[in-house]
C-alpha cells in the first residue's frame, strides 16, 4: 500500500545533540513537508520541498535543516540551535509542480514525538 | 494572507448527539477546503474535501458544504459515536503545487461520551 512512513515514533534527545527524523513516501508525490505540532495548537510549517534537490523555509525554520536528495525521502534534522525542540513532528506529501489540479490534499505520516531529556 | 478560523474547543457531546464545528476562512484565489481528523498519538487523515463553491464533501457520516458567500466550511454529523472522539482540523489549500503547504485552523477537540 502507498503511504508515508515516519521513524522513529518516539525519539529522545539530550541537550546539545542533533537528531534526524526520517520521512519516506511511496506515493510518487513531488512535494513533501514538515510540520511541528505543540499541545493544543495547530500545525506550523518548518520546511517544504516541491521537487528533488530543492527546498524552502517555512514559518519556523530556525534550528532545523532538511535535505531532499531523493524523491521518496525528506529527512529533518533538529539541531542544537533549536532551543525548544520537544514537540510532535509531522511529515506530509502531496501535490507538486507536476501534479494534477484536483490533487490538492495532503497525506500525513504517523508522526514522531521528540522529547528533550 | 490566508487564514482559517475554527470553533474553539473542547467540545463534549453525548453519543448520538448532533455535531457542528464551525470553520471560516480568508484566502486569495479559489481555495480547496478540507477537514482532517487526528486520533490520539497519530498523524492527520483526510476526512473530506470540497474543491469549489457549493460542493459538499462527505465521508463516514460527516458532511461539509463549501459556502463562498459566507466563506465557511462547517463540519456536521447527525449522530456522533464514541469512536468519533478526536481532534478535527479545518484547512485550505490554494493550489495543487502546494497541496501540503496548507493553512490549518488550530483544531477542535471532540469528546463523545457513552
Amino acid at each position: 500500500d502507498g503511504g508515508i512512513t515516519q521513524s522513529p515514533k518516539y525519539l529522545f534527545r539530550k541537550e546539545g545533540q542533533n537528531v534526524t527524523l526520517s520521512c519516506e513516501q511511496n506515493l510518487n508525490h513531488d512535494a513533501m513537508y514538515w510540520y511541528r505540532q505543540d499541545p493544543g495548537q495547530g500545525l506550523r510549517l518548518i520546511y517544504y520541498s516541491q521537487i528533488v534537490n530543492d527546498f524552502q523555509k517555512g514559518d519556523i525554520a530556525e534550528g532545523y535543516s532538511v535535505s531532499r536528495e531523493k524523491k521518496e525521502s525528506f529527512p529533518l534534522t533538529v539541531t542544537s540551535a533549536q532551543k525548544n525542540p520537544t514537540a510532535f513532528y509531522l511529515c506530509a506529501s502531496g501535490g507538486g509542480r507536476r501534479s494534477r489540479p484536483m490533487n490538492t490534499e495532503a497525506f500525513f505520516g504517523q508522526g514522531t514525538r521528540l522529547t528533550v531529556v | 494572507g490566508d487564514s482559517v478560523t475554527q470553533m474553539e474547543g473542547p467540545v463534549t457531546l453525548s453519543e448520538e448527539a448532533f455535531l457542528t464545528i464551525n470553520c471560516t476562512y480568508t484566502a486569495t484565489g479559489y481555495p480547496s477546503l478540507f477537514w482532517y481528523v487526528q486520533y490520539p498519538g497519530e498523524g492527520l487523515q483526510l476526512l473530506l474535501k470540497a474543491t469549489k463553491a457549493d460542493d459538499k464533501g462527505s465521508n463516514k457520516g460527516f458532511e461539509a458544504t463549501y459556502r463562498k458567500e459566507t466563506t465557511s466550511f462547517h463540519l456536521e454529523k447527525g449522530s456522533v459515536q464514541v469512536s468519533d472522539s478526536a481532534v478535527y482540523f479545518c484547512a485550505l489549500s490554494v493550489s495543487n503545487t502546494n497541496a501540503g503547504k496548507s493553512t490549518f485552523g488550530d483544531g477542535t477537540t471532540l469528546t463523545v461520551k457513552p
Side-chain angles (χ1 to χ4, degrees):
Chain A
D1 283 3
I4 299 181
T5 302
Q6 289 186 241
S7 63
K9 190 171 176 66
Y10 300 96
L11 185 58
F12 298 90
R13 191 194 93 167
K14 293 181 181 179
E15 296 281 352
Q17 266 187 341
N18 293 353
V19 291
T20 298
L21 285 60
S22 170
C23 178
E24 304 276 335
Q25 56 102 356
N26 59 5
L27 297 168
N28 201 34
H29 290 153
D30 283 323
M32 297 185 73
Y33 308 82
W34 274 105
Y35 288 91
R36 170 177 172 145
Q37 185 179 25
D38 292 287
Q41 297 187 29
L43 279 66
R44 292 185 289 169
L45 183 65
I46 304 172
Y47 268 98
Y48 65 103
S49 166
Q50 288 192 315
I51 204 161
V52 175
N53 293 321
D54 184 51
F55 50 83
Q56 285 80 39
K57 293 181 179 180
D59 301 319
I60 56 165
E62 185 175 353
Y64 300 97
S65 65
V66 294
S67 63
R68 187 82 188 281
E69 298 176 359
K70 299 188 300 182
K71 183 176 184 178
E72 300 79 16
S73 179
F74 191 41
L76 173 74
T77 297
V78 184
T79 75
S80 57
Q82 171 49 240
K83 297 308 179 187
N84 185 23
T86 294
F88 191 52
Y89 290 87
L90 288 163
C91 180
S93 72
R97 293 172 188 164
R98 296 178 294 183
S99 68
R100 293 182 292 175
M102 70 287 287
N103 293 341
T104 52
E105 67 264 34
F107 295 80
F108 285 84
Q110 293 297 297
T112 293
R113 186 166 300 282
L114 173 63
T115 304
V116 174
V117 296
Chain B
D2 302 333
S3 68
V4 173
T5 302
Q6 60 181 102
M7 187 170 81
E8 290 188 18
V11 174
T12 302
L13 296 173
S14 297
E15 205 164 24
E16 299 184 0
F18 185 85
L19 169 71
T20 300
I21 301 178
N22 291 337
C23 173
T24 58
Y25 69 91
T26 58
T28 55
Y30 302 95
S32 295
L33 301 174
F34 310 90
W35 278 100
Y36 290 89
V37 59
Q38 184 180 35
Y39 298 102
E42 298 185 7
L44 278 65
Q45 304 172 26
L46 180 67
L47 180 59
L48 53 85
K49 74 174 186 179
T51 57
K52 62 182 186 296
D54 299 326
D55 268 2
K56 177 185 282 189
S58 61
N59 186 27
K60 300 180 181 179
F62 291 90
E63 293 184 340
T65 301
Y66 189 141
R67 302 286 188 197
K68 187 177 178 182
E69 63 276 13
T70 54
T71 61
S72 65
F73 193 55
H74 305 321
L75 181 69
E76 296 182 337
K77 187 175 185 182
S79 176
V80 293
Q81 305 300 313
V82 173
S83 57
D84 293 327
S85 298
V87 182
Y88 292 82
F89 290 91
C90 185
L92 67 84
S93 174
V94 295
S95 79
N96 58 300
T97 56
N98 276 319
K101 190 175 176 285
S102 301
T103 300
F104 291 85
D106 288 339
T108 301
T109 300
L110 170 66
T111 302
V112 180
K113 296 188 173 180

